Amino acid sequence: MKHDDIVDGRPQLSDLAKAAGVSLATADRVINRRKGVKERTRKRVLEVAHEIGFLSSADAERYGRDQPMNIVVLLPAGTNPYLRLLGERVKERVGRSGINEPILRCYFIEGFNAGALAEGLRAHSAWADGIIFFSIEHPVVREAVVDVLAGGTGLVTIVSDLGNVPEIQHVGLDNRSVGRTAGLLLGRLASSSQGAVALVAGSRHYRTHSEREAGFLSLIDEMFPNLRVIGMREGHDDSAENYRHTLDLFEQANDLVGIYNVGGSSSGITRAMREKNRSSLVFIGHGLTQDTRRALLDGTMDAVFDQDPDILIDRAIRCLTEPLIRSRQLKLDIYFRENLP
């Protein structure tokens, strides 16, 4: 609850501002732990808040400790079930965070739009001490990152990084290795050593997707030279687009033996497979969610690669609150029907 509510018998925020000799906006920033207040002013406002009874002794003591970080999490909007799950987990933390824990806010911005991401980074840096985000490989994003870092806001990328930017830690998988693992599984599980295999992605603008593609292609070329790789289709992690792409793949390649979805929203692919009775295909995808769990159970999917969302969030927050501790790559979880948690 914000401390600008009117409560009978207690001073209001305007009373605190007048007693401390500051503007109402400054008093609001101090009490609601926003940036933009000098430390000397912050301490003065808190002292007065205790003196006039705006804050209890216990609250004043907690506020007097080191101010927790303001952290914004920016996630791509869309129909990707894993991203929705990740957003739900962040919002759960928002509801239960204590007064001296990082203050979290979560926002969804237009997916695969570099301009929207750059604008979001700049806009939220006015409040945030740190921002956690999915990166898009684009010059306007890099320019925004430079500006935000120069303004003193820390940045951490999750799942998909920005490349060689030493000031930004990344929390995620070794995605080239992930792609090679998918290639190995698909090649071993395929019903034939010859035929076509297909790749579906969200977008190559996500480094994580292009790295998984590169790893997959290198493994297939190395170990399964008789498998023919059909060029990647970009479905923007949209179930309807992935559905249409899969139907096109069935028309394009009568000898299709497997599909690897390097991105999300696998439900569109499984829908097409069920409609066309193509359950004999090997299908590997990402993100253990309700739809992929069901697909594993009914045999439409063979394997799901996953990153634990809670560990992902924990590591990203720690990168901001303890920047001297370098994050390790996450462990890849691979689920089959028989080892579902």
Side-chain angles (χ1 to χ4, degrees):
M1 179 182 74
K2 293 184 178 180
H3 287 276
D4 51 6
D5 299 326
I6 299 176
V7 181
D8 290 341
R10 288 185 54 190
Q12 300 176 29
L13 192 64
S14 57
D15 299 320
L16 171 60
K18 183 177 179 180
V22 299
S23 68
L24 187 61
T26 297
D28 176 78
R29 282 195 291 269
V30 172
I31 296 302
N32 289 300
R33 296 177 179 268
R34 300 189 179 99
K35 292 199 305 183
V37 181
K38 293 180 180 178
E39 183 61 17
R40 182 176 60 186
T41 303
R42 186 181 77 88
K43 288 182 178 179
R44 170 62 181 160
V45 172
L46 292 176
E47 288 173 359
V48 173
H50 181 218
E51 290 171 1
I52 69 173
F54 187 88
L55 292 178
S56 68
S57 297
D59 281 343
E61 182 181 353
R62 287 195 293 270
Y63 269 89
R65 298 171 190 163
D66 290 339
Q67 187 170 344
M69 292 188 73
N70 296 332
I71 296 177
V72 164
V73 182
L74 296 180
L75 299 176
T79 62
N80 187 328
Y82 179 79
L83 295 183
R84 291 204 299 268
L85 174 63
L86 191 59
E88 289 170 5
R89 297 294 175 82
V90 174
K91 289 176 180 178
E92 287 173 6
R93 289 166 180 258
V94 172
R96 67 173 187 261
S97 58
I99 193 169
N100 286 303
E101 295 177 355
I103 301 170
L104 294 177
R105 293 181 180 177
C106 182
Y107 299 95
F108 284 86
I109 59 175
E110 183 180 351
F112 308 101
N113 186 326
L117 176 57
E119 181 181 346
L121 289 169
R122 288 193 172 97
H124 291 293
S125 67
W127 177 82
D129 300 302
I131 300 177
I132 299 167
F133 69 106
F134 274 59
S135 184
I136 297 175
E137 190 73 31
H138 196 280
V140 299
V141 175
R142 287 186 173 273
E143 188 69 17
V145 161
V146 170
D147 293 344
V148 170
L149 289 172
T153 297
L155 297 174
V156 172
T157 57
I158 56 173
V159 180
S160 191
D161 68 353
L162 193 57
N164 187 24
V165 183
E167 299 90 344
I168 302 179
Q169 288 206 63
H170 175 65
V171 180
L173 302 169
D174 177 346
N175 285 295
R176 188 175 180 87
S177 173
V178 169
R180 286 183 61 86
T181 303
L184 179 63
L185 269 178
L186 192 151
R188 293 291 192 193
L189 295 174
S191 59
S192 173
S193 60
Q194 296 184 343
V197 295
L199 288 160
V200 177
S203 170
R204 289 188 178 90
H205 287 305
Y206 280 149
R207 178 182 288 265
T208 184
H209 290 189
S210 61
E211 288 178 346
R212 290 172 186 171
E213 175 191 18
F216 181 88
L217 293 176
S218 68
L219 190 288
I220 294 295
D221 182 64
E222 176 185 328
M223 294 189 63
F224 305 102
N226 292 325
L227 290 178
R228 183 178 83 260
V229 180
I230 299 175
M232 182 185 281
R233 305 292 182 97
E234 294 188 353
H236 302 99
D237 285 352
D238 180 80
S239 179
E241 282 193 55
N242 284 347
Y243 170 75
R244 291 191 293 270
H245 283 318
T246 307
L247 293 179
D248 289 342
L249 288 170
F250 293 161
E251 293 291 329
Q252 179 183 348
N254 292 327
D255 59 346
L256 189 68
V257 297
I259 299 174
Y260 172 39
N261 180 15
V262 308
S265 294
S266 289
S267 59
I269 299 172
T270 57
R271 173 187 167 197
M273 290 176 63
R274 293 185 184 105
E275 286 183 2
K276 298 301 181 180
N277 194 26
R278 301 297 295 270
S279 60
S280 62
L281 291 177
V282 178
F283 178 30
I284 297 170
H286 282 263
L288 185 63
T289 53
Q290 289 185 355
D291 62 311
T292 55
R293 177 184 287 271
R294 182 167 72 93
L296 284 174
L297 289 171
D298 69 17
T300 311
M301 292 189 78
D302 294 277
V304 170
F305 294 171
D306 192 53
Q307 303 173 75
D308 186 292
D310 290 313
I311 294 176
L312 187 69
I313 299 165
D314 283 341
R315 292 272 187 91
I317 292 173
R318 191 178 183 192
C319 285
L320 291 170
T321 58
E322 303 177 49
L324 296 181
I325 299 177
R326 307 303 294 181
S327 178
R328 304 185 310 276
Q329 286 177 339
L330 292 184
K331 176 175 66 71
L332 172 64
D333 294 320
I334 305 178
Y335 292 107
F336 304 91
R337 184 182 66 178
E338 306 305 328
N339 71 331
L340 282 171

